[in-house]
Amino acid sequence: MLYSYKHSFSGFSAKLNSTQATALAKMEGVISVFRSKTLQLHTTRSWDFVGLTLDNNKVTPLQLAFGDDIVVGMFDTGIWPESESFWEEPRMKPIPSTWRGECVKGDRFDPKTNCNRKLIGARYYLKGFEEENGPLSMSGNPEYQSPRDFLGHGTHTASTAVGSIVKNASFFGLGLGTARGGAPRARLAVYKICWANEEFNSVCSEIDILAAFDDALHDGVHIISASFGPRPPMLPLFETSAGIGSFHAMQLGITVAFSAGNEGPDPSLVTNVAPWSISVAASSVDRMFRTQILVDNSLSIMGESFLPTEIKGKLTDPSMYFEHGVCNSDNYMNESKSAVGKVVVCFSTDGPTLIDQAVAAVKTANASGLIFVEPMTRQTADVEIVPTVYVNFEQGTQIKNYLFESPSLPRVRIIPTKTIIGKSPAPTVADFSSRGPSSLTPDILKPDVTAPGVSILAAWPHDTSPTLSPSDERRVRWNFQSGTSMSCPHVSGVAALIKSAHPRWSPSAIRSALITTAYTRDTTSDSILAGGSMKVADPFDIGAGHINPLKALDPGLVYEMKTSDYILFLCNIGYTQENIHKMVLPCPGVDTSCPKVPKSNTNINYPSITVSNLKSTMTIKRTVRNVGHKKNTIYFASIVKPDGVEVFIWPRALIFSWFNEENSYYVTLKPLKKSQGRYDFGEIVWLDGFHKVRSPLVVCVNTTDDSSDSIARTSSSI
């Protein structure tokens, strides 16, 4: 026995052989038995970009007005408690009396000095990691057997979500500004469930994750931020720690935000797709880190980098040091001379070559710098052990042609990076951000929303290098990171503000507010673009759109997910009435039986509407609740029809009053074209003159018979 989960749900983790596991699965009262897996971990400008500014002299800034009474639980790699991001905010109230958590003592972590009114909880979970990787003390890595963070990921995400206000934060002068989390006055509880292995990769055991959920739900957190997930293919929801833990959190009124994954830009690789949690995509902000490359003072190229100092050297083709000109350490020609004083130009298409491979290769050759050439749609600058500038293929081709035409190696000078704000259209979906449709629940749109996740500056452990490389001697207090791991805590921070402003709102109401107020236009009022391509982003890239915290605090209408919605969903994914009765908390008047005639998951009261298999006319029901300040109001419908689909809404007006705060409407979809497997997009918007309540409408028309297709697609199968 490793853990007994008893606080918030019933279960345990133990070492079993396959025969024992099979026998256990057949026992009465057992809902699921599954093998524990290892999961992956998937700022200064970003909060200004989303509208939460601190320079408003007329009113108390929104980030300071709410959050004091909210506890955000971070499931990650731990915390660096000495960071200024986790100091107490001025005039912070005592710890909420409802808090039942604790700070656990461990290696270089003393609760008496490291915890305060800001950092009010810190636990760590090691049994699953050690069962799969051996004792931490024997692994030879510098990890701390405590809540203290070595990898930096947890410190970064925690400061993004709820970090205190810190002025003059920067990475060697880059990104200089006032750092803070989305809810800087909110309380922080840390649950360390991910650890560094010998290669400094993160390892997150599902055994430990479930233990963290069990404790967090008992401790009294209000929001959980979880920037981790499995790689596809997806397993059934109740055979994953994330699916089980977030379901029980939802039942207790706790909102859970997950990262959508970093498997983009290919479709159907989005993870964390349960309808009771929030799945967050990643996109850019309007900040660039422009770095000028001067070749012989005659060719000037502007790239992206995090380069605080000037680099000088000779421009060099990789074929001088690597076989076939492929920038890979395995291709390094050992008999060649060192590349000291050289700046190597590497193309991502040669090999092909990933950025990590190119960096490792030029470091092996002792080069002074790297110019990495990749498509403009995939460019995301990162902090590297070797000074690296990212350029696109047009620029890279100019550099390569100049190099080939030069009689000798040209001199190259790379000017220190400059931070440029407000000159680039944003947001743009990050190329790495995982896309829908969901391979597990195709009638539930995932991701739900997108948020800043590219080049996010946030707190970092003071004893950890910014690249995690043992040879990197730099030490920083702030570091740049990119990923849906960074976008997830942005949503968690906003969710904390919403929960503080509306304490009685359920997780589904908070999710609805985020979804229906999201926007789909960039800073130039044009459509948001999808990184990894040249196309306009669609709901599979960004969900409903980019989060808008100010609007989400006053969404007008919300789509509540009631227990009956989750029961319908569980019925559709194959759970029996007996199992559902065990999973769903008792609620007066709630029928846990499955309908005799199966209903589609499209009828679940989700804020977005997705129909993955429209063969003939169908009608969908949605119910909204008025949460606006005006109780007597009328909302009128506006429709953007998906191509080839007729859309009817009844009624076209929703009348609310003090005595009628809920209304239902019906959407009838009629296919007008012959099509197979093609998704089209529209939207349904309810307007009252002040609020704009927008729901994405995603429809796949399947009206062309294909007898050769042996796989029957149904909206209820997973």
Side-chain angles (χ1 to χ4, degrees):
M1 179 78 76
L2 297 177
Y3 290 109
S4 176
Y5 311 124
K6 55 182 181 291
H7 291 310
S8 308
F9 49 89
S10 179
F12 65 90
S13 57
K15 295 172 65 177
L16 302 173
N17 61 35
S18 58
T19 302
Q20 292 169 323
T22 302
L24 185 64
K26 295 178 180 178
M27 293 179 64
E28 183 179 354
V30 174
I31 295 171
S32 64
V33 176
F34 58 95
R35 185 185 184 93
S36 174
K37 296 172 292 300
T38 296
L39 306 186
Q40 297 177 316
L41 289 171
H42 282 177
T43 125
T44 51
R45 175 61 188 166
S46 59
W47 291 115
D48 289 320
F49 178 72
V50 300
L52 295 179
T53 59
L54 291 178
D55 58 357
N56 191 336
N57 295 320
K58 297 180 181 179
V59 297
T60 301
L62 185 63
Q63 288 179 295
L64 303 183
F66 299 108
D68 236 327
D69 48 349
I70 300 301
V71 181
V72 177
M74 302 296 301
F75 286 25
D76 218 296
T77 63
I79 195 78
W80 192 264
E82 289 81 10
S83 170
E84 295 171 84
S85 289
F86 312 119
W87 293 3
E88 294 179 5
E89 279 283 305
R91 299 176 298 280
M92 193 164 244
K93 298 177 183 177
I95 296 172
S97 58
T98 55
W99 178 245
R100 296 185 295 272
E102 62 177 323
C103 287
V104 178
K105 189 175 183 178
D107 184 15
R108 289 189 62 186
F109 193 93
D110 184 355
K112 294 181 180 178
T113 56
N114 293 140
C115 288
N116 50 37
R117 291 185 176 184
K118 178 69 174 180
L119 177 59
I120 65 173
R123 300 178 185 268
Y124 65 98
Y125 304 86
L126 195 54
K127 293 178 182 178
F129 173 87
E130 291 192 326
E131 187 62 38
E132 297 162 6
N133 298 272
L136 184 69
S137 58
M138 302 293 289
S139 62
N141 70 42
E143 262 286 13
Y144 307 101
Q145 192 164 331
S146 74
R148 183 172 289 276
D149 184 16
F150 165 72
L151 285 170
H153 193 276
T155 299
H156 197 282
T157 56
S159 64
T160 300
V162 298
S164 298
I165 298 171
V166 184
K167 295 181 179 179
N168 299 318
S170 73
F171 177 83
F172 295 109
L174 298 175
L176 180 65
T178 299
R180 74 275 189 192
R185 296 196 67 84
R187 317 306 175 110
L188 172 63
V190 171
Y191 299 84
K192 183 176 180 179
I193 44 93
C194 299
W195 304 79
N197 61 13
E198 294 180 5
E199 291 79 33
F200 292 174
N201 294 319
S202 61
V203 176
C204 316
S205 168
E206 289 204 294
I207 293 172
D208 296 330
I209 292 169
L210 272 177
F213 267 112
D214 191 34
D215 281 338
L217 272 54
H218 176 263
D219 289 345
V221 302
H222 301 95
I223 311 290
I224 291 176
S225 186
S227 293
F228 59 79
R231 299 191 68 174
M234 303 290 290
L235 292 175
L237 293 174
F238 286 137
E239 292 185 20
T240 67
S241 57
I244 295 170
S246 59
F247 179 79
H248 289 287
M250 172 275 298
Q251 292 194 92
L252 295 175
I254 299 167
T255 297
V256 183
F258 285 108
S259 48
N262 298 335
E263 303 295 330
D266 292 332
S268 294
L269 299 181
V270 62
T271 62
N272 296 315
V273 296
W276 45 78
S277 60
I278 305 172
S279 182
V280 188
S283 47
S284 65
V285 298
D286 62 341
R287 179 176 62 184
M288 299 181 295
F289 297 93
R290 306 311 300 267
T291 308
Q292 187 179 18
I293 303 170
L294 286 174
V295 184
D296 282 343
N297 287 323
S298 59
L299 175 63
S300 175
I301 297 292
M302 196 66 74
E304 286 269 321
S305 182
F306 298 117
L307 192 65
T309 57
E310 184 174 293
I311 300 294
K312 293 182 178 180
K314 294 280 186 77
L315 193 64
T316 307
D317 186 76
S319 60
M320 294 182 63
Y321 304 97
F322 305 100
E323 291 181 2
H324 312 299
V326 177
C327 296
N328 192 308
S329 298
D330 295 337
N331 291 36
Y332 182 54
M333 297 181 289
N334 295 321
E335 68 276 6
S336 68
K337 57 186 178 182
S338 170
V340 170
K342 305 296 192 302
V343 176
V344 184
V345 183
C346 295
F347 279 72
S348 62
T349 48
D350 290 338
T353 302
L354 299 175
I355 178 61
D356 292 344
Q357 295 171 321
V359 170
V362 297
K363 179 172 174 53
T364 301
N366 293 315
S368 298
L370 166 66
I371 297 175
F372 190 68
V373 187
E374 61 182 349
M376 68 171 66
T377 58
R378 293 178 178 266
Q379 284 185 311
T380 302
D382 206 351
V383 177
E384 307 290 358
I385 183 66
V386 175
T388 301
V389 184
Y390 296 74
V391 299
N392 63 39
F393 264 88
E394 180 184 349
Q395 298 168 318
T397 301
Q398 292 182 55
I399 295 172
K400 187 158 187 145
N401 289 342
Y402 188 97
L403 176 60
F404 282 164
E405 293 169 2
S406 297
S408 60
L409 295 181
R411 294 186 177 277
V412 62
R413 181 167 158 240
I414 304 177
I415 309 300
T417 300
K418 293 183 179 179
T419 305
I420 308 295
I421 294 175
K423 300 296 184 181
S424 59
T428 296
V429 183
D431 71 284
F432 55 76
S433 185
S434 291
R435 270 48 168 199
S438 167
S439 60
L440 196 62
T441 55
D443 284 327
I444 304 294
L445 178 61
K446 295 289 176 173
D448 289 297
V449 290
T450 188
V454 177
S455 301
I456 302 301
L457 184 70
W460 197 252
H462 305 168
D463 289 353
T464 299
S465 75
T467 61
L468 296 179
S469 172
S471 61
D472 190 349
E473 297 181 354
R474 294 175 296 176
R475 295 295 180 266
V476 295
R477 294 175 180 267
W478 308 92
N479 196 16
F480 286 106
Q481 294 270 283
S482 295
T484 54
S485 282
M486 283 63 249
S487 58
C488 174
H490 278 85
V491 169
S492 305
V494 176
L497 293 179
I498 298 173
K499 184 67 174 177
S500 180
H502 306 285
R504 296 185 179 181
W505 280 18
S506 67
S508 63
I510 293 173
R511 181 176 59 243
S512 174
L514 290 165
I515 289 174
T516 61
T517 59
Y519 59 87
T520 58
R521 296 280 171 175
D522 64 20
T523 50
T524 65
S525 299
D526 209 340
S527 298
I528 294 174
L529 292 177
S533 72
M534 302 292 286
K535 73 178 184 70
V536 171
D538 61 45
F540 291 143
D541 302 313
I542 58 175
H546 194 281
I547 60 169
N548 188 335
L550 296 176
K551 295 288 187 182
L553 280 161
D554 182 20
L557 305 177
V558 294
Y559 293 78
E560 289 274 16
M561 292 274 285
K562 299 178 180 178
T563 304
S564 56
D565 290 296
Y566 295 114
I567 291 173
L568 172 61
F569 178 81
L570 294 173
C571 291
N572 285 342
I573 65 176
Y575 287 94
T576 65
Q577 179 180 344
E578 182 183 7
N579 284 337
I580 293 172
H581 185 72
K582 291 183 174 70
M583 288 187 287
V584 177
L585 290 177
C587 185
V590 173
D591 183 6
T592 58
S593 62
C594 295
K596 294 180 180 179
V597 179
K599 296 182 180 179
S600 167
N601 279 336
T602 56
N603 277 302
I604 292 174
N605 203 43
Y606 212 73
S608 55
I609 298 176
T610 305
V611 181
S612 64
N613 190 20
L614 183 66
K615 292 187 174 183
S616 58
T617 301
M618 71 179 301
T619 299
I620 299 164
K621 179 183 178 182
R622 287 292 188 270
T623 301
V624 289
R625 179 165 63 91
N626 180 23
V627 294
H629 297 297
K630 289 180 63 177
K631 300 305 178 185
N632 297 309
T633 186
I634 303 176
Y635 279 81
F636 296 93
S638 173
I639 306 169
V640 176
K641 301 174 183 178
D643 184 54
V645 181
E646 185 62 67
V647 182
F648 304 95
I649 291 185
W650 183 87
R652 295 298 297 258
L654 301 177
I655 302 173
F656 296 92
S657 68
W658 284 97
F659 309 103
N660 182 37
E661 66 173 12
E662 272 194 0
N663 267 304
S664 295
Y665 66 92
Y666 297 85
V667 182
T668 299
L669 305 174
K670 180 182 179 181
L672 301 178
K673 64 179 180 179
K674 293 286 188 180
S675 184
Q676 185 73 36
R678 177 188 177 118
Y679 278 93
D680 292 286
F681 309 99
E683 63 183 33
I684 296 172
V685 182
W686 290 97
L687 304 156
D688 70 343
F690 180 74
H691 300 97
K692 180 181 179 181
V693 186
R694 177 182 166 275
S695 292
L697 179 58
V698 179
V699 181
C700 181
V701 174
N702 281 319
T703 51
T704 303
D705 291 333
D706 186 357
S707 58
S708 64
D709 186 359
S710 61
I711 301 176
R713 298 183 59 201
T714 67
S715 60
S716 61
S717 67
I718 64 166

